[in-house]
Amino acid sequence: MHRWSKLFIPTLREAPADAEVASHMFLLRSGYIRQLGAGIYSYLFLGQRSLNKIIGIVREEMDKIGQEFYLPAIHPKEPWEQSGRWTGMATTCFG
């Protein structure tokens, strides 16, 4: 771990005008996240560190009960059609 005084943690004095929710303002001002575009955010050092700690806690608890599993990122169309969700997702995601 580096010395805290040497870390790059870009903080802001004022929250951006488009930030309306208190938690959003705090995350931006304290240097946890930065907005790249509409709805697209990057985790900065503190945000990534916090996220890793949360993942570690959840993984530890899931390992205790043996329930951790991974799901694929790409799914076939058939389960979505069978559940009746394909039409809603197709119009939302694909226009």
Side-chain angles (χ1 to χ4, degrees):
M1 184 67 195
H2 302 290
R3 294 181 61 112
W4 283 102
S5 61
K6 301 289 183 189
L7 291 175
F8 177 65
I9 303 173
T11 58
L12 301 173
R13 289 187 189 270
E14 299 293 326
D18 60 338
E20 296 175 6
V21 180
S23 59
H24 183 208
M25 286 186 247
F26 292 140
L27 288 170
L28 287 168
R29 289 188 57 208
S30 60
Y32 280 71
I33 60 173
R34 274 298 176 265
Q35 186 169 6
L36 289 176
I40 304 170
Y41 290 86
S42 294
Y43 290 108
L44 300 178
F45 172 76
L46 292 176
Q48 185 65 46
R49 187 172 162 90
S50 299
L51 190 62
N52 287 342
K53 285 187 178 234
I54 293 167
I55 289 170
I57 292 167
V58 171
R59 179 164 284 138
E60 181 181 322
E61 295 300 319
M62 295 299 274
D63 285 345
K64 285 181 184 176
I65 60 173
Q67 293 293 317
E68 184 175 2
F69 59 93
Y70 296 98
L71 297 173
I74 301 173
H75 295 261
K77 180 169 90 168
E78 291 76 22
W80 291 85
E81 287 178 326
Q82 289 173 358
S83 66
R85 296 180 292 164
W86 179 254
T87 54
M89 288 303 292
T91 56
T92 303
C93 295
F94 308 114

